[in-house]
Amino acid sequence: MSEKPSNLPVNSDRLWGTILETAAFGATPKGGVRRLTLSQEDRKVRDWFKAACEAAGCTVTVDALGNMFALRPGRDPSRAPIGLGSHLDTQPTGGKFDGILGTLAALEVVRTLNDAGIETEAPLCVANWTNEEGSRFAPAMMGSAAFVGDFTVENILGRKDAEGVTVKEALEAIGYVGAAPVGSQPFEAFVELHIEQGPILEAENKTIGVVEHGQGIVWYDGHITGFESHAGSTPMPLRRDALATFSQIVLAVEAIARKHGPDAVGTVGEVTIANPSRNVIPGEVNFTCEFRSPHAEILKALEADFAAAVTEIAAGRKGVTVEIEQVWRKDPTHFDPKVIGAIREAAEGLGYSNRPMVSGAGHDAFNLATRMPVAMIFVSCKDGLSHNELEDATQADCTAGANVLLHTVLSLAGV
Ligand code: HGY
Ligand code: MN
Ligand code: MN
Ligand code: MN
C-alpha cells in the first residue's frame, strides 16, 4: 500500500460547476428544482451522470429498479467496492443540493483520484439510488429499500403514482430498466454525503456533521368516508363531514408529536377531497401522515397514541369511518463505528470543525446500514432549509464535504 495523500483536495470549481449544471435539469422559475423520480427530468440527469461516470473511466450498471452503479476498479479486485453517492431525484419543490450533492461529490472524488493518478486498493462504486424522495411513489428511499430486501422488486414495480402510472411503466418510459438483479451489487462499506437539511451546523458554525444515528420513520395512508350532501340544507347534527373529521386528525398528529417532543415530529403532508365543491359537504378525504423519532420506544409510543386518537375521533363522528394503513416503517438507524471514525478522522485531518449528529431526514444510508458498514457526512445548508426551492449551500461547504468524503473513502479503500 502506498502513502495516503494526506490532504489532496477535490477540484472545488469543477464540483461547483457540476452542481450548477445539473440544477438545470428540472429548474423551476423560483430557482429550485422539480426532478421527480423516473420523470423526463430525472432521465436527463441520469443520462448526464452516466456519461460523466463513463468519461471518468467507470463502468456503469443499472439494476431492475433503475439503481445506478459506476464502478472504478481497484488494485485488489477480490475486495468488494467502497460505495459513495446518494440520489438524483427531488421533491416537487426541491432544491439544487438535496441528494445530488452526494452523488456529484462522489463523481468528483473519482475525477480527483484520476487527476492524481491514484489507484485505490479496493474498487470504488458511485451510486444513484432510485426514488429516495418518496414523493411520486411511496415509500421514500425506495430503491435502496428494495436493494436490501425490505420490499420485493415485484411489489415495488407495481407501486402507482397519483396518475395511476406504475414504477414499471415509469422505468420503461425513461429507459432505466436495468439488467442487474436488485441487491446484487456488493459493497464493503458505504459513505453518503448530504446537506444537513436542518439548522444545527449553521447555528454552531461547524463545517462537518459526523452522522452517527438516524431517526425512525413511520408512514400512513388515511381514508375518511362520510357522506356528500347539500351545504345549505343539511343541519349540522346530521352531517357526516369527512373534511371536518380530517381536521381533527391533523390537530391530533400535531398534539401527539408535541407530547413526545423534542425528539418527535409528526406531519400531515398530503390531502385530497373527492369531488370538491364549495357547496357540498365533503364525503371522502384521502391523506398521508408520518411520525419520526430517533428513539425506538418513542416511535412506538407515537404509533400507539395515533391509533388511539383515530379510534376516539371516529367514535365521535357518527356515520363517518376512518381507515388508517401503515405503508412504511423503519426503526431508528445506528451507523457503523469504524466508518464514523473514518469520517471524523478525515474531518480532523483536514482541519474542519465538526460535531456528531443525528439525521432528522431519511436517507438511503439508513437502508444500506442494515446490510453493510455505513455512515454519513453532513454539510450546512442556508437556514437549515430543504424540501423548499430556496434551498441553498455554499461552494466552500460543499467542497469541504467532498474533501471529507474523498479522505474517508481513501482510508476505507486503502491506496
Ligand atoms: O423523507 C425524507 O426524510 C427524505 O428526504 N426523503
Ligand atoms: Mn435527500
Ligand atoms: Mn429529500
Ligand atoms: Mn437521502
Side-chain angles (χ1 to χ4, degrees):
M1 273 207 201
S2 51
E3 186 56 21
K4 186 167 86 68
S6 59
N7 54 6
L8 173 72
V10 297
N11 182 322
S12 177
D13 289 342
R14 181 172 56 194
L15 170 64
W16 193 248
T18 58
I19 290 170
L20 299 182
E21 183 181 355
T22 52
F25 298 124
T28 60
K30 285 193 200 162
V33 180
R34 177 189 174 87
R35 197 166 53 230
L36 294 185
T37 193
L38 307 184
S39 63
Q40 287 306 317
E41 294 78 21
D42 189 22
R43 175 186 59 75
K44 287 181 193 141
V45 79
R46 283 166 168 263
D47 292 349
W48 180 95
F49 172 67
K50 181 169 181 287
C53 289
E54 286 171 342
C58 296
T59 309
V60 177
T61 56
V62 181
D63 74 15
L65 289 179
N67 292 314
M68 299 173 75
F69 306 103
L71 192 68
R72 183 182 194 259
R75 230 190 328 278
D76 180 357
S78 71
R79 283 181 62 183
I82 302 296
L84 58 165
S86 187
H87 62 95
L88 295 172
D89 65 308
T90 74
Q91 289 287 335
T93 50
K96 302 186 185 74
F97 300 90
D98 176 357
I100 199 162
L101 169 61
T103 315
L104 294 174
L107 169 64
E108 179 51 37
V109 163
V110 169
R111 288 173 162 176
T112 299
L113 294 174
N114 290 347
D115 294 348
I118 293 173
E119 188 185 26
T120 53
E121 273 296 313
L124 304 185
C125 183
V126 176
N128 164 42
W129 298 104
T130 293
N131 187 26
E132 189 277 351
E133 293 295 357
S135 173
R136 182 180 176 192
F137 300 102
M141 294 91 92
M142 188 182 83
S144 55
F147 182 84
V148 299
D150 284 357
F151 298 97
T152 64
V153 173
E154 292 63 39
N155 174 294
I156 295 296
L157 288 173
R159 298 288 177 116
K160 289 186 177 169
D161 67 9
E163 277 69 52
V165 176
T166 63
V167 168
K168 183 173 185 302
E169 289 160 344
L171 278 167
E172 287 163 353
I174 66 165
Y176 273 88
V177 180
V182 175
S184 59
Q185 174 57 53
F187 289 105
E188 185 179 293
F190 198 92
V191 189
E192 181 173 2
L193 165 65
H194 206 287
I195 51 170
E196 177 196 342
Q197 300 177 299
I200 296 171
L201 289 174
E202 187 178 59
E204 294 184 6
N205 196 21
K206 291 278 188 329
T207 306
I208 297 293
V210 183
V211 189
E212 302 183 336
H213 181 172
Q215 291 208 100
I217 304 172
V218 58
W219 274 17
Y220 297 92
D221 282 350
H223 180 75
I224 304 172
T225 311
F227 192 72
E228 287 172 359
S229 60
H230 198 296
S233 54
T234 311
M236 294 310 285
L238 301 183
R239 294 179 176 218
R240 294 159 59 186
D241 188 329
L243 190 59
T245 305
F246 167 70
S247 63
Q248 285 183 276
I249 289 176
V250 174
L251 295 177
V253 167
E254 194 179 47
I256 289 165
R258 286 181 190 282
K259 169 186 165 191
H260 293 285
D263 287 334
V265 288
T267 312
V268 174
E270 291 177 72
V271 58
T272 49
I273 303 169
N275 316 309
S277 168
R278 66 178 61 229
N279 48 3
V280 173
I281 299 165
E284 188 181 344
V285 165
N286 289 303
F287 66 96
T288 66
C289 76
E290 64 149 73
F291 291 97
R292 303 193 194 198
S293 173
H295 308 300
E297 67 284 359
I298 293 183
L299 195 66
K300 283 203 185 84
L302 289 162
E303 289 175 272
D305 283 4
F306 182 54
V310 167
T311 305
E312 191 187 336
I313 289 166
R317 288 273 173 178
K318 199 162 163 299
V320 177
T321 57
V322 183
E323 295 155 78
I324 298 286
E325 185 197 354
Q326 192 174 96
V327 293
W328 180 47
R329 184 185 196 288
K330 183 141 209 67
D331 268 325
T333 302
H334 296 276
F335 287 135
D336 176 80
K338 180 173 172 249
V339 183
I340 291 168
I343 292 170
R344 181 165 290 117
E345 201 182 304
E348 296 287 346
L350 292 163
Y352 293 129
S353 57
N354 61 89
R355 55 108 75 206
M357 296 195 82
V358 177
S359 174
H363 298 287
D364 295 304
F366 289 22
N367 289 325
L368 302 175
T370 61
R371 273 266 301 266
M372 63 193 82
V374 171
M376 291 187 74
I377 305 161
F378 273 177
V379 291
S380 185
C381 52
K382 192 169 179 317
D383 304 331
L385 193 59
S386 183
H387 286 196
N388 182 302
E389 291 172 287
L390 298 175
E391 180 185 278
D392 200 4
T394 65
Q395 178 171 347
D397 282 337
C398 291
T399 303
N403 282 329
V404 172
L405 180 66
L406 168 64
H407 287 274
T408 302
V409 164
L410 281 174
S411 70
L412 295 173
V415 290

